[in-house]
Amino acid sequence: MNGGLLVAGTTSDAGKSVVTAGICRWLARQGVKVAPFKAQNMSLNSFVTREGAEIGRAQAMQAQACRVEPTALMNPVLLKPGGEQSSQVVLLGKPVGEMSARGYHGGRQQRLLGTVLDCLAELRGSYDAVICEGAGSPAEINLRRTDIVNMGIARGAGLPVLVVGDIDRGGVFASLFGTVALLSSEDQALVAGFLVNKFRGDVSLLEPGLDMLHGLTGRRTYGVLPFRHGLGIDEEDGMGVPPRGTVRESAVAQPVGEDVLRVAVCAVPLMSNFTDVDALAAEPGVVVRFVDRPEELADADLVVLPGTRGTVRALRWLRERGLADAIARRAAEGRPVLGICGGFQALGEHIEDDVESRAGHVDGLGLLPVRVRFAREKTLTRPVGEALGERVEGYEIHHGVAEVTGGEPFLDGCRVGHTWGTHWHGSLESDGFRRAFLREVAAAAGRRFVPAPGTSFAALREEQLDRLGDLIEQHADTDALWRLIESGAPQGLPFIPPGAPA
């Protein structure tokens, strides 16, 4: 077997990533050797593979759904926004430079089509099935000429396409119909049908519309997935996180101790790898929220400065909003602060940056004895170490090189009192270390909080992936989906006018 499928969507955030993961987990449970693939991903939420390649975290999560090790082949092009006008281009896991959107879509992107098709072909040669994820919408007619992630990859590899629509947003029938109707006849021939996502209510009330959609397009609906809370694992893009009031989903369980622990995450600009705090949110009795005002730090037991693609910009933002002063007061009072990657760099004494912001010498918050120099080479590693008497695993993605001149050692960084800093993403997923860290935070905050002794973040992640697989197995026509993956789009699908503009 050499099957494949492209999961496209009517919009960004229609649920392509989780649907792809769900199909991957369903296939893996059937004994199918399956791999995920996304030709091009725009995200600040990334991961480091064992061979030292940087890919989107969504593809790493999908690889876990497949029960395989993630590799650079699964996400050959990663774009990391550095602002409104430019992104760092990561090719096959390594950064190759900054490029404006105009420059990328003006020619560079199309030249990458051969590369991504080669990567897909290599995966298809090693796996029974490859489930590909599109990006945005395949009907972005202004970008079709240079597309390498939606219909461009479907045409190049002959993949059948399943279009996902988010009914929770409204207008799902118009979105599904319009997506097909704006494609060329050649592209339409590969769009096999639809999948409705995030449905609330009685499916029988939806069925007349699905029948009419079938009559209008000649294409069937392969399933209606119900709305479920807590399935947005490893989202692609931290730029879309609301800056204030967002609460990460947490385990529905009572605290073990008498108190809860409140964690405030500063929603800095160009926030990256905000999923670092998901392991905290998984602990019963820990409440994690994103904030952007100094008064919102007042009742926090722990303040987290997360990673960012723009450390100097984040420092300016912290100072403009009064958050820098509030964090400094906390540190002086011995109240816990944790900086991760860019957040760690911001806590230091000063930064020399001629690479990311090109701002030269910039003063940090001065809360840790650390000096940072930005190097052109990016550090991409999977370190293993020990802290607080516990084994810790993590991954590093940064241009900043930290010189630690004092304090107590803490992973690759340091701590002074109850202010900690490290470049290690993912360290809080190590259960023993996370519990030890939270015990220190609770003691410093004067909270009678006790970490739950049996919480396993890895097991919780597996449960989430199984729930995604269950959604596909229980609410999609899996026999028809299997035929689609194995045999491709049905022959003779009708053309829906007007088609793509000339």
Side-chain angles (χ1 to χ4, degrees):
M1 178 186 174
N2 187 10
L5 175 70
L6 175 70
V7 179
T10 57
T11 63
S12 295
D13 201 35
K16 296 184 292 292
S17 295
V18 293
V19 167
T20 300
I23 294 173
C24 287
R25 177 49 61 102
W26 161 63
L27 288 172
R29 294 196 302 207
Q30 308 309 307
V32 177
K33 188 180 180 185
V34 58
F37 180 78
K38 184 160 185 173
Q40 173 190 292
N41 196 347
M42 177 173 278
S43 180
L44 291 173
N45 212 16
S46 58
F47 181 76
V48 179
T49 68
R50 292 203 181 279
E51 71 266 34
E54 184 179 9
I55 66 172
R57 269 198 71 102
Q59 280 60 66
M61 175 267 292
Q62 290 160 357
Q64 186 176 350
C66 296
R67 297 175 176 148
V68 299
E69 191 67 31
T71 72
L73 292 174
M74 297 172 183
N75 179 205
V77 181
L78 174 64
L79 305 178
K80 303 194 72 175
E84 298 298 324
Q85 300 296 327
S86 67
S87 295
Q88 183 181 67
V89 180
V90 179
L91 180 61
L92 292 173
K94 303 297 180 183
V96 294
E98 296 279 335
M99 188 166 290
S100 69
R102 180 182 293 274
Y104 185 68
H105 290 288
R108 177 64 182 270
Q109 183 183 33
Q110 196 170 25
R111 291 195 295 272
L112 292 173
L113 180 60
T115 299
V116 300
L117 286 172
D118 287 345
C119 291
L120 177 56
E122 188 171 343
L123 285 175
R124 296 184 79 179
S126 302
Y127 291 87
D128 300 328
V130 179
I131 308 303
C132 307
E133 180 189 344
S137 162
E140 291 167 348
I141 55 180
N142 57 315
L143 302 177
R144 176 62 185 92
R145 182 177 61 83
T146 58
D147 170 56
I148 65 169
V149 65
N150 289 307
M151 301 313 299
I153 197 78
R155 286 268 292 278
L159 295 172
V161 179
L162 187 68
V163 180
V164 178
D166 177 1
I167 197 170
D168 200 46
R169 294 179 178 216
V172 72
F173 293 115
S175 298
L176 293 170
F177 179 87
T179 296
V180 179
L182 281 175
L183 300 178
S184 69
S185 58
E186 295 85 358
D187 287 351
Q188 286 192 23
L190 293 173
V191 178
F194 312 111
L195 191 144
V196 176
N197 193 27
K198 303 181 189 177
F199 180 71
R200 307 172 192 251
D202 185 347
V203 176
S204 66
L205 299 177
L206 192 65
E207 287 171 351
L210 299 178
D211 291 340
M212 285 186 275
L213 184 65
H214 189 189
L216 287 166
T217 67
R219 291 158 173 85
R220 58 166 299 172
T221 297
Y222 284 76
V224 177
L225 307 186
F227 187 96
R228 292 286 187 269
H229 286 285
L231 294 181
I233 51 178
D234 287 356
E235 295 96 329
E236 287 187 349
D237 200 348
M239 296 179 77
V241 175
R244 184 168 60 86
T246 303
V247 178
R248 296 300 284 173
E249 296 279 359
S250 57
V252 182
Q254 293 296 316
V256 175
E258 297 178 43
D259 288 342
V260 299
L261 212 59
R262 296 173 177 84
V263 178
V265 184
C266 294
V268 297
L270 299 175
M271 181 165 46
S272 63
N273 289 72
F274 62 92
T275 47
D276 282 335
V277 300
D278 284 357
L280 296 178
E283 285 284 348
V286 176
V287 179
V288 177
R289 70 184 189 277
F290 289 84
V291 303
D292 68 352
R293 300 187 304 198
E295 58 268 27
E296 293 174 304
L297 305 187
D299 67 344
D301 302 306
L302 170 67
V303 169
V304 177
L305 279 180
T308 172
R309 172 89 160 86
T311 304
V312 170
R313 180 174 168 181
L315 274 167
R316 184 169 61 248
W317 181 86
L318 290 167
R319 288 179 169 125
E320 289 171 350
R321 288 180 172 264
L323 285 159
D325 290 338
I327 293 169
R329 286 194 298 272
R330 285 185 64 90
E333 294 165 1
R335 302 176 67 196
V337 176
L338 170 65
I340 302 173
C341 200
F344 165 44
Q345 296 166 7
L347 291 174
E349 295 170 351
H350 68 255
I351 294 168
E352 293 290 339
D353 182 10
D354 296 318
V355 175
E356 189 174 81
S357 68
R358 297 180 175 85
H361 182 94
V362 177
D363 289 334
L365 299 183
L367 303 182
L368 289 176
V370 175
R371 299 166 186 166
V372 177
R373 175 185 55 82
F374 274 69
R376 298 202 175 276
E377 291 295 316
K378 181 183 279 192
T379 298
L380 296 167
T381 63
R382 291 272 293 270
V384 177
E386 184 176 303
L388 305 180
E390 300 285 347
R391 187 177 185 273
V392 190
E393 295 183 26
Y395 57 99
E396 296 185 51
I397 306 169
H398 55 91
H399 284 278
V401 178
E403 179 191 359
V404 179
T405 61
E408 300 176 46
F410 178 71
L411 301 176
D412 72 320
C414 67
R415 66 176 292 183
V416 173
H418 291 104
T419 299
W420 296 266
T422 176
H423 274 129
W424 289 24
H425 295 291
S427 63
L428 294 166
E429 296 178 18
S430 298
D431 297 326
F433 167 71
R434 181 180 65 255
R435 287 192 279 268
F437 177 72
L438 289 176
R439 282 193 290 269
E440 288 219 12
V441 169
R447 296 287 186 189
R448 290 172 293 184
F449 168 84
V450 178
T455 302
S456 166
F457 185 75
L460 289 171
R461 175 54 54 85
E462 280 295 305
E463 288 175 15
Q464 284 183 303
L465 293 171
D466 276 331
R467 288 173 66 197
L468 293 178
D470 292 343
L471 282 177
I472 298 299
E473 192 167 332
Q474 296 167 11
H475 300 281
D477 185 340
T478 52
D479 288 339
L481 195 58
W482 176 253
R483 288 193 297 271
L484 187 63
I485 294 168
E486 190 175 33
S487 304
Q491 296 297 307
L493 292 168
F495 172 72
I496 308 302

